[in-house]
Amino acid sequence: MNQLKSREPGSVTLPGTLSDSLRAELVAFRRDLHMHPELGNQEFRTTAALKARLEAAGLAPEVLPAGTGLICDIGTRDPGRGMLALRADLDALPIPDVKTVAYRSTVANRAHACGHDVHTTTVLGAGLVLAELDRRGLLPNAVRLIFQPAEEVLPGGAADAIEAGVLDGVGRIVAVHCDPRVDAGKIGLRIGPITSACDRLEITLDGPGGHTARPHLTTDLVTAAARVATDVPAVLARRVDARSGLSVTWGRIEAGHAPNVIPQHAELSGTVRCLDLPSWRDAPDLVHAAIDEVATLHRAKSTVTYVRGVPPVVNDPVVTELLRDAMTARRGAQAIEDTEQSLGGEDFSWYLEHVPGAMARLGVRTPGDTRVRDLHAGDFDVDERCIEAGVELFTAAALLDATPQH
């Protein structure tokens, strides 16, 4: 038992690799989830499938109060230490699956195009392996599996899961996120921020409207909207540290119905992203002020709806090194790549407001494949060998973990 707590990579051969039968079962489980994607807070079938499989392994999963998502503890908790939590997200995206594969989505305009089916299967597989190790007396401390709903629904289902108590007794938390730029069998690691903050912005502009022949007698709302779209990002670029990476990017702009009528109403919507926590905390006030300033200059009345999303995921150095040690013990240092900070958002960040943790990039690209399978695209798919790599990472982290009680 004490030997399993060694933090020297390669100093001990760790148990917990996958059998051929479990490997095949997990691939089949992932494909079943892929064929039956469910949106955030609607993951009832996914939750039921997880619950049934964990109970079949002799475990006692607990469904979260809202009816989707669940937690499951494995092993006996050392009273002097917090548990290591393994987190997965369950939900799919509201986009069509355009792949030609046997496990293509059977639900119209729904797809697991972000890899949450892989995340879920990886944590399930780790749980099944750890349960067997616990029966053999080889699990040094209890581990909690967290299957969280609604990651794609701002501000993220993690906040509701935390409120439901999923972190009670947890000392550290780890997760993976699929990365189509990294080969299957490898992971990407980074200490510090690994994702960015992401908020949503909705703006309405109003004015009296009028004839395009007389813009000087009214509010030229189309020009005002265009100026907000171009000038607000420019204003913000001069009011925050450039290293914060705060940016506003528009996804929608609508105004008017006829070529010779100045409209009374215009709408813009987009996202606000930034790389660090201090800038994220200041962003709402800064964005409001910049919008009001530009709109007022063009005599438009502005209404701003700023929807808080998620802060950056900031990987704890010690927990990141735990993942590095775990992957090194399983597959060697060559299976680890340094990764850059992504501009995408991830609600795993909410857990890190409460306990230290780290997220790894899970490689899902077939080695040698030159195609770009981007996340949130209808043709996204993975090399399913990534599942085994993720399970090995999580199980090794649980065996090497030596979390002190906070």
Side-chain angles (χ1 to χ4, degrees):
M1 286 278 288
N2 289 337
Q3 187 186 26
L4 293 179
K5 298 176 186 177
S6 169
R7 298 298 303 278
E8 275 301 315
S11 66
V12 58
T13 300
L14 297 176
T17 54
L18 271 68
S19 65
D20 290 342
S21 60
L22 181 55
R23 187 183 302 110
E25 179 190 350
L26 292 176
V27 169
F29 191 91
R30 179 258 168 174
R31 292 186 177 190
D32 180 72
L33 295 185
H34 201 84
M35 293 174 67
H36 301 92
E38 298 173 299
L39 298 184
N41 295 315
Q42 300 173 24
E43 309 96 332
F44 296 103
R45 182 186 184 278
T46 304
T47 298
L50 288 165
K51 184 173 184 289
R53 184 61 185 91
L54 292 166
E55 288 177 340
L59 300 170
E62 299 178 25
V63 176
L64 298 182
T68 62
L70 66 159
I71 62 172
C72 184
D73 290 352
I74 302 169
T76 302
R77 181 180 169 190
D78 182 337
R81 297 192 283 138
M83 290 181 284
L84 178 70
L86 316 179
R87 174 268 197 175
D89 38 9
L90 305 180
D91 54 329
L93 289 163
I95 63 175
D97 188 345
V98 300
K99 300 188 301 298
T100 304
V101 293
Y103 49 87
R104 179 179 173 175
S105 171
T106 61
V107 184
N109 298 313
R110 302 287 185 269
H112 268 295
C114 197
H116 294 190
D117 53 337
V118 173
H119 306 166
T120 298
T121 303
T122 299
V123 172
L124 171 64
L128 297 176
V129 172
L130 292 172
E132 175 59 28
L133 292 178
D134 183 54
R135 283 189 284 271
R136 294 163 53 192
L138 295 176
L139 188 61
N141 190 25
V143 174
R144 173 167 295 166
L145 314 181
I146 299 176
F147 297 95
Q148 172 217 304
E151 190 276 331
E152 299 285 354
V153 181
L154 288 179
D160 292 333
I162 293 166
E163 187 175 348
V166 301
L167 291 181
D168 293 350
V170 169
R172 304 185 194 186
I173 187 167
V174 294
V176 294
H177 196 293
C178 291
D179 191 335
R181 302 165 303 169
V182 178
D183 286 349
K186 296 184 177 183
I187 62 170
L189 289 177
R190 175 186 174 89
I191 293 173
I194 194 170
T195 70
S196 301
C198 179
D199 299 336
R200 192 172 75 241
L201 188 60
E202 304 283 346
I203 303 169
T204 61
L205 301 175
D206 293 287
H211 200 291
T212 56
R214 293 175 289 277
H216 59 292
L217 299 180
T218 185
T219 295
D220 186 352
L221 210 60
V222 173
T223 297
R227 285 297 188 182
V228 167
T230 57
D231 291 356
V232 166
V235 169
L236 290 169
R238 292 296 178 266
R239 294 187 181 173
V240 296
D241 189 327
R243 292 169 295 183
S244 72
L246 192 151
S247 66
V248 174
T249 304
W250 307 106
R252 183 180 69 94
I253 180 168
E254 295 183 15
H257 302 283
N260 62 342
V261 178
I262 295 175
Q264 295 177 309
H265 185 77
E267 297 180 358
L268 301 92
S269 59
T271 58
V272 181
R273 299 179 188 271
C274 51
L275 301 178
D276 61 51
L277 278 169
S279 297
W280 180 71
R281 294 184 176 118
D282 293 340
D285 290 341
L286 290 168
V287 171
H288 271 88
I291 292 168
D292 290 344
E293 182 178 316
V294 175
T296 299
L297 182 64
H298 294 276
R299 297 186 294 175
K301 182 181 183 299
S302 63
T303 303
V304 180
T305 301
Y306 194 107
V307 181
R308 265 307 196 193
V310 293
V313 172
V314 182
N315 280 350
D316 177 79
V318 176
V319 184
T320 303
E321 288 308 304
L322 172 63
L323 293 177
R324 185 179 299 278
D325 288 355
M327 198 61 171
T328 301
R330 291 295 192 202
R331 299 193 172 209
Q334 69 276 6
I336 302 167
E337 298 181 0
D338 292 332
T339 192
E340 62 187 14
Q341 183 176 6
S342 165
L343 285 172
E346 231 288 354
D347 78 350
F348 183 69
S349 54
W350 291 123
Y351 297 107
L352 307 189
E353 299 278 301
H354 301 272
V355 296
M359 170 174 280
R361 301 284 184 193
L362 181 67
V364 299
R365 179 179 63 192
T366 299
D369 191 348
T370 58
R371 291 173 295 175
V372 177
R373 293 185 181 274
D374 201 8
L375 297 170
H376 289 213
D379 65 346
F380 176 75
D381 205 356
V382 304
D383 183 323
E384 290 170 319
R385 288 174 289 184
C386 67
I387 296 171
E388 181 174 12
V391 172
E392 289 185 354
L393 173 71
F394 282 142
T395 54
L399 293 171
L400 293 174
D401 181 48
T403 307
Q405 182 64 50
H406 288 271

